[in-house]
Amino acid sequence: MSDIPSASVILGDEPGSFPHSVLAERHPAIVRQVREAFPYGPDQHRALDVLLENCTKGEIEPLPADAHDRDRWVAWGMDEYAGRSWFDVPWLWSESYFYRRLLDAVGYFGPGPWQGIDPFRPSKLAELDAPETDEELAALDGLTGLPAEEQATALLHGSLWGNRADLGFRLSATGADTPADTPPLVADDSEHLWSLLPPTGTSTLCLIADNAGRELVPDLLLIAHLLAHGHVQRAVLHIKPYPYYVSDATTADVVDALRRLTGAGGAAAEYGRLLWSALADGRLAVRAHAFSCAPLPFAEMPGDLRQEFAAATVTLVKGDLNYRRLVGDRRWPPTTPFQDVTAHFPGPVAALRTLKSDVITGLDAGTEAALVAAEDQRWRTSGTHALIQVRS
């Protein structure tokens, strides 16, 4: 990556910027939301109050000496950033550390009665059980009569857009509320992606998941289709080992999504049963590696993950946060080649992402100019544009 122009790491220290608003506004709102999610006791309420004050006005404090993962966080930079403002360290790091401290505040790591209780579970289940989810799953029945290639395209768009566009079960790549004079897909390497997964039944897919609920469901549906039609022989789903970024998927969320599918009837239930069977016989595996919650770019992944991704036919990286980790959470010029900033990744990699943060790479100059002319910089964070980028 030595030939790539230097780009500064994104911080949250600029008032009015998107990262600053996350730290100053979103994180306090999340603390308040979690406070109301469960009937926590006085200890949890006090700890949440302390976190609320600290993350907005205080300095980063290290984990206590007896924290089970203290050594890991020291290796991830905790001692370097302790004593500094949350706004003056890399935004990716401060966000990740906020969620680690939030779990401490509610007693997630125990010991105690709240050990292992996901503070975000009520909102995840509410989304998964919403009437809109019934409508989206029922829409799967309309795909069954289509050629397999058209089904694959629709399911790929569903995985791309998540809950932004009716699970994306459309044959056109249409976003939500996209200005008419700008493309919903700012980059589309889908043909390249399909070329990496021919229906030979010999490929291995790794999918690094993003959110739970109505965004995990289409990821699982895409995996089911790839298994059923021989695009992959085996799939590995990488999820988070503990609750993270409010809605990121954990093992419990995978199980909830599968139960939602199997209980839905119709094509959705068939997909669900296929996935359930695939987990039982090893065609589908779930991984929850500690590095999945690390405050670091994928360029710094440990050796065991590098080996796994190097052996995969392709690794599919889902969502905005994972994109930031894949390319590096930096202020890249938008035309910085995606191939260059992902050269560190140990095997072929594809990014499916709805744009919800500032970082972007791989655009051609004409696309960038059209986006800026129509929307200034709002296109970067509005969630109304998406991309499919591949480096083989």
Side-chain angles (χ1 to χ4, degrees), residues 39-370:
Y40 291 121
D43 290 345
Q44 284 78 24
H45 281 275
R46 280 191 293 269
L48 288 169
D49 289 342
V50 169
L51 177 61
L52 179 61
E53 178 74 13
N54 177 257
C55 73
T56 53
K57 301 177 183 178
E59 298 175 341
I60 293 170
E61 298 176 356
L63 293 174
D66 60 351
H68 74 282
D69 54 352
R70 192 180 196 282
D71 289 347
R72 185 180 298 151
W73 277 93
V74 168
W76 290 345
M78 183 178 69
D79 286 352
E80 177 184 355
Y81 298 133
R84 296 167 62 176
S85 167
W86 291 78
F87 296 85
D88 293 336
V89 304
W91 180 42
L92 178 63
W93 199 95
S94 58
E95 277 195 292
S96 297
Y97 195 60
F98 166 79
Y99 288 102
R100 174 60 183 83
R101 296 313 302 249
L102 180 62
L103 293 182
D104 256 351
V106 298
Y108 179 87
F109 294 111
W114 295 101
Q115 185 177 26
I117 303 298
D118 183 349
F120 310 121
R121 185 168 172 78
S123 58
K124 291 177 179 178
L125 290 178
E127 181 183 276
L128 195 60
D129 294 338
E132 292 84 357
T133 307
D134 288 322
E135 298 171 6
E136 292 164 348
L137 294 179
L140 284 169
D141 294 338
L143 294 182
T144 56
L146 298 177
E149 184 175 310
E150 294 183 10
Q151 293 183 41
T153 298
L155 292 169
L156 178 66
H157 289 160
S159 181
L160 171 65
W161 289 103
N163 63 9
R164 289 293 300 171
D166 301 326
L167 285 184
F169 296 143
R170 310 173 178 192
L171 298 185
S172 61
T174 303
D177 305 320
T178 305
D181 50 355
T182 59
L185 283 185
V186 301
D188 184 4
D189 294 340
S190 54
E191 289 189 11
H192 188 179
L193 175 60
W194 290 123
S195 74
L196 297 176
L197 296 171
T200 59
T202 59
S203 298
T204 297
L205 172 76
C206 287
L207 191 152
I208 303 176
D210 186 30
N211 293 328
R214 289 167 62 196
E215 295 193 30
L216 179 61
V217 165
D219 295 343
L220 292 170
L221 294 172
L222 177 62
I223 289 173
H225 180 89
L226 295 176
L227 287 169
H229 292 272
H231 290 280
V232 301
Q233 182 180 43
R234 184 171 181 268
V236 182
L237 180 66
H238 285 259
I239 44 84
K240 302 301 189 295
Y242 52 77
Y244 191 61
Y245 278 71
V246 180
S247 56
D248 279 29
T250 65
T251 303
D253 299 317
V254 174
V255 174
D256 287 338
L258 289 175
R259 285 182 171 148
R260 186 71 167 90
L261 285 171
T262 56
E270 293 181 19
Y271 279 115
R273 287 191 290 269
L274 186 157
L275 291 163
W276 199 283
S277 174
L279 281 166
D281 64 26
R283 286 176 295 145
L284 173 59
V286 177
R287 297 279 189 271
H289 197 286
F291 188 76
S292 294
C293 288
L296 303 174
F298 289 156
E300 300 182 40
M301 73 174 66
D304 59 335
L305 275 182
R306 294 192 65 83
Q307 290 177 5
E308 181 167 348
F309 295 143
T313 306
V314 64
T315 297
L316 193 58
V317 176
K318 278 297 312 295
D320 199 76
L321 171 62
N322 286 327
Y323 187 86
R324 291 163 57 193
R325 297 186 70 191
L326 175 64
V327 305
D329 203 28
R330 294 174 175 269
R331 298 190 183 280
W332 300 114
T335 55
T336 303
F338 178 76
Q339 307 288 330
D340 292 349
V341 294
T342 58
H344 65 85
F345 202 83
V349 63
L352 266 63
R353 174 212 181 190
T354 302
L355 277 59
K356 297 178 184 177
S357 66
D358 290 309
V359 65
I360 183 72
T361 67
L363 299 192
D364 64 58
T367 298
E368 181 195 3

